[in-house]
Structures are given as structure tokens and as C-alpha cells.
């Protein structure tokens, strides 16, 4: 047809688009009944310090670790992750610490087994060993896992959009990348709103462009998308029944909260295209009631809660956790 746009893709792009992605069924059975599915879009919503970034790092570790190593079960997925850092909260040192804790926990589990049941494997010859991997072997293993992680940093909406466009070449060459993470999606919200003047359409222009590119990446490459969205706009405590917000008053279109669908803690402020794109919303909060551990000592830790809502089925799940030196620990 005259004027029709010709779509052309390379063999690498076709292979990356059509190849089956590894399943993430066992990424975290405490959070997912059957793992996140390809093309799921999961929003992490909550105030600063509610555990959103820490949960992202927990899931990154679960993704890039293999299912087993040296005869030890690690319950990892051995898949690639793309991490877009707009808040500059990402810490590779923190992630390495979480990975090291996972390996050391697996070593401790093996040591608790009867001696005849221990099954440490030699990396090169596959022989059964009585002793666990050495420290330098663990360091080498962690570095190998980190090769499955790709991190990019952005400091403006324009740079974010350009960066997302450029990720296609990486996704073409790395078909094992299954997960895309953005921390956070609204990092440049106030700048874009200020630059947009009084026109709501102009204020949201960069948001819509970002969602358009994300939608193409997720749908074309069958990715799972995790994105954090800080609670930067909230209702007044004495104004739950109205559309009023805090002293940083938002435009009237932000007061589009659907009371039947949204949890009480959530307040929407991003564009409609993002709202339609999201399939799950995880609302994070920090409890005033501390958690007292029993092992190894009576340490007092902050208690966090995450409420997971599937926006397609309206099913709801609540989990509690604390954050330790080794990462996320669930409270049963």
C-alpha cells in the first residue's frame, strides 16, 4: 500500500524476538505463585526508605545466580538483567554482598547435613569434595554472575528516552536478558512538569515517550519490567474523601484515583498510558512495629510490608520482610 512504512529487522533481531525466554517460575516462590510472566509490568510504589530498591537488588540476585553451583542449591535463574538507574541508588557493592550471603548460606546449609550427605563439587573435575569452595573461588563466581547484569545511568528524561532506544542493540545480542528494571520511573517528574508550563499534555510528553519505548521493548523482546515509583504526591490526612493533595498541589488530572481499584496507600500521578501499561502494583510501606530477630542474637530491625495487587485479576497478597546485611529476610 502506498505510503506504508516498511518494517525491516536483522536476523539477530528476529532471533531475539522469537526465541523463548527462560522461565522465572522459581525466582521467589514467597512473592510469586508461578513467577513473573513475560510482558508483565510490575510497579513498586512507596515512600522513600520503604524497601523498593532493596527488593530490586534481591530480585537481581535471584536472576543472575544460577540454580546451583559446586553441588549447592542457589535457586537462581541464570538470566540477564538490564538495570536503568535514574535515582543513582544502585550499589554494586551492596549487590555483591547479597550474592556473597546467598553463597555462604548455601555453604552453611551443606555443613548442617550429615557428612555422608554433603556434596561439594570440584569446579573443574566434578569430583565430590569434603570442603566447600575457597574464598577466591567464591569471588570469581560472584564476578561471573555480575556479568549477567548490565547497568546504565540516566540524569534526564531525554537521556532516559535515548538510552531506552539504544538498548535494542544489546537485547539483540543478549537474548538471555529477561528482565528490565528502572529505579525510578518518576525521577524527572518535577523537572518535566516545570518545563511543561501550564499545559498538562506538555508536562506529560516525556512520560508518554518513555512508556512508548518501554512498551515496544517489553512486547518485542518478551521482557519482565520492574519499575519503582516513589510516593511523591499524597492525600492530606484529613482529606481522604476528596481529590486534594499535599502542599505540593498537583494538577486536577492527578486526582483521578480510582477508589475501587487502588489500594488506600496508593495515589496515581503518572500519565494514563503508564496506568494502562501496569499489570501488577506492589505497594511498599515501613511498619512502626520493629522486628526482633532470634538468630544470631536479639537484634532489632525495621519491619516492612509489601502488598501485591494483580491489576488484571484483582488478587491481593501481603508479605512482611526485614532488611539485613545479607539482603531481604521474610517474616513468616
Amino acid at each position: 500500500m502506498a505510503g506504508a512504512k516498511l518494517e525491516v529487522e536483522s536476523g539477530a533481531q528476529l532471533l531475539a524476538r522469537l526465541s523463548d525466554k527462560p522461565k522465572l517460575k522459581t525466582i521467589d516462590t514467597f512473592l510469586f505463585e508461578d513467577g513473573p510472566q513475560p510482558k508483565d509490568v510490575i510497579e513498586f510504589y512507596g515512600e522513600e526508605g520503604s524497601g523498593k530498591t532493596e527488593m530490586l537488588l534481591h530480585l537481581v540476585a535471584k536472576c543472575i545466580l544460577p540454580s546451583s553451583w559446586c553441588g549447592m542449591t542457589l535457586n537462581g535463574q541464570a538470566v540477564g538483567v538490564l538495570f536503568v538507574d535514574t535515582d543513582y541508588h544502585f550499589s554494586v557493592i551492596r549487590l555483591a554482598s547479597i550474592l556473597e550471603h546467598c553463597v555462604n548460606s548455601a555453604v552453611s546449609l551443606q555443613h548442617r547435613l550429615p557428612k555422608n550427605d554433603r556434596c561439594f563439587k570440584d569446579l573443574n573435575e566434578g569430583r565430590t569434595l569434603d570442603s566447600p569452595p575457597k574464598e577466591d573461588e567464591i569471588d570469581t563466581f560472584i564476578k561471573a554472575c555480575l556479568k549477567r547484569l548490565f547497568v546504565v545511568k540516566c540524569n534526564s528524561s531525554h537521556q532516559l528516552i535515548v538510552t531506552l532506544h539504544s538498548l535494542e542493540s544489546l537485547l539483540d545480542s543478549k537474548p538471555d536478558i529477561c528482565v528490565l528494571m528502572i529505579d525510578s520511573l518518576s525521577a524527572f517528574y518535577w523537572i518535566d512538569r516545570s518545563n511543561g508550563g501550564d499545559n498538562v499534555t506538555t508536562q506529560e510528553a516525556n512520560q508518554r515517550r518513555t512508556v512508548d519505548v518501554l512498551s515496544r521493548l517489553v512486547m518485542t523482546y518478551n521482557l519482565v519490567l520492574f519499575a519503582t515509583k516513589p510516593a511523591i504526591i499524597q492525600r492530606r490526612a484529613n482529606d481522604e474523601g476528596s481529590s486534594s493533595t499535599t502542599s505540593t498541589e498537583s494538577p486536577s488530572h492527578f486526582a483521578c484515583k480510582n477508589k475501587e481499584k487502588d489500594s488506600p496507600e496508593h495515589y496515581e500521578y503518572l500519565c494514563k498510558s503508564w496506568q494502562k501499561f501496569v499489570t501488577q502494583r506492589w505497594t511498599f510501606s515501613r511498619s512502626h512495629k520493629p522486628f526482633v530477630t532470634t538468630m544470631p542474637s536479639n537484634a532489632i530491625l525495621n519491619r516492612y510490608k509489601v502488598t501485591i495487587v494483580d491489576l488484571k485479576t484483582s488478587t491481593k497478597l501481603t508479605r512482611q520482610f526485614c532488611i539485613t546485611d545479607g539482603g531481604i529476610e521474610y517474616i513468616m
Side-chain angles (χ1 to χ4, degrees):
M1 185 172 67
K5 184 179 179 181
L6 180 63
E7 296 288 344
V8 180
E9 62 181 348
S10 67
Q13 290 174 317
L14 181 63
L15 179 63
R17 181 167 58 84
L18 297 180
S19 60
D20 291 333
K21 296 288 186 181
K23 303 301 181 184
L24 304 178
K25 288 186 177 182
T26 59
I27 184 173
D28 193 320
T29 55
F30 196 65
L31 297 173
F32 300 95
E33 182 177 345
D34 196 31
Q37 302 301 311
K39 301 179 182 179
D40 273 352
V41 179
I42 301 173
E43 176 188 280
F44 285 10
Y45 177 84
E47 296 181 353
E48 188 80 14
S50 59
K52 301 184 300 297
T53 299
E54 192 70 26
M55 183 62 78
L56 284 182
L57 293 180
H58 168 77
L59 293 173
V60 169
K62 291 287 188 178
C63 286
I64 65 178
L65 282 170
S67 60
S68 62
W69 178 67
C70 280
M72 300 178 295
T73 300
L74 298 175
N75 294 318
Q77 306 298 298
V79 300
V81 177
L82 263 170
F83 195 106
V84 181
D85 184 17
T86 60
D87 275 340
Y88 287 72
H89 287 169
F90 176 81
S91 170
V92 70
I93 296 175
R94 175 61 177 158
L95 177 58
S97 176
I98 294 171
L99 293 171
E100 185 177 3
H101 174 77
C102 291
V103 175
N104 289 335
S105 295
V107 171
S108 298
L109 183 61
Q110 283 282 355
H111 274 303
R112 288 198 294 269
L113 295 174
K115 189 171 183 180
N116 292 337
D117 294 336
R118 295 177 191 171
C119 190
F120 295 114
K121 298 288 186 180
D122 183 272
L123 294 177
N124 298 319
E125 302 177 15
R127 296 180 291 110
T128 301
L129 303 176
D130 292 330
S131 59
K134 297 181 176 63
E135 186 175 338
D136 60 334
E137 292 176 327
I138 294 177
D139 289 342
T140 301
F141 169 69
I142 290 175
K143 290 177 182 177
C145 291
L146 288 171
K147 290 181 179 179
R148 298 190 182 100
L149 173 65
F150 303 87
V151 180
V152 293
K153 295 181 181 291
C154 303
N155 57 25
S156 69
S157 288
H158 176 72
Q159 190 179 55
L160 174 60
I161 294 167
V162 172
T163 297
L164 291 175
H165 276 292
S166 70
L167 293 180
E168 290 194 63
S169 59
L170 178 61
L171 292 168
D172 289 337
S173 61
K174 301 287 184 181
D176 63 319
I177 294 177
C178 298
V179 177
L180 172 61
M181 296 182 174
I182 302 181
D183 188 24
S184 71
L185 190 66
S186 56
F188 316 114
Y189 168 80
W190 292 115
I191 297 174
D192 290 339
R193 181 177 160 185
S194 175
N195 292 340
D198 296 328
N199 190 302
V200 173
T201 301
T202 306
Q203 291 174 4
E204 294 184 340
N206 284 331
Q207 290 180 34
R208 292 193 300 274
R209 293 189 191 103
T210 300
V211 175
D212 286 345
V213 183
L214 285 174
S215 178
R216 187 173 73 251
L217 292 177
V218 168
M219 298 303 166
T220 301
Y221 296 98
N222 295 314
L223 302 174
V224 177
L225 172 62
F226 293 90
T228 63
K229 185 179 75 175
I232 58 176
I233 298 179
Q234 300 176 349
R235 292 181 182 277
R236 293 191 184 99
N238 61 349
D239 217 359
E240 287 294 323
S242 73
S243 61
S244 300
T245 61
T246 56
S247 57
T248 52
E249 199 71 37
S250 62
S252 58
H253 76 288
F254 291 138
C256 60
K257 180 179 172 71
N258 186 322
K259 295 180 183 178
E260 286 72 34
K261 291 185 178 180
D262 287 341
S263 63
E265 299 86 359
H266 177 257
Y267 191 86
E268 187 58 74
Y269 59 88
L270 291 184
C271 63
K272 290 290 183 65
S273 57
W274 172 254
Q275 297 174 40
K276 294 177 182 178
F277 192 35
V278 176
T279 60
Q280 289 184 33
R281 176 172 296 117
W282 296 23
T283 302
F284 290 76
S285 60
R286 180 172 169 176
S287 174
H288 296 292
K289 181 181 178 182
F291 175 68
V292 181
T293 63
T294 56
M295 294 292 291
S297 61
N298 292 332
I300 299 177
L301 301 174
N302 291 319
R303 183 191 297 259
Y304 300 87
K305 183 180 79 170
V306 57
T307 301
I308 301 171
V309 178
D310 189 314
L311 300 179
K312 296 178 292 186
T313 63
S314 298
T315 56
K316 188 175 180 179
L317 178 70
T318 300
R319 293 288 186 254
Q320 294 189 52
F321 63 94
C322 59
I323 299 174
T324 69
D325 291 342
I328 296 284
E329 296 284 348
Y330 296 116
I331 301 173
M332 303 299 184

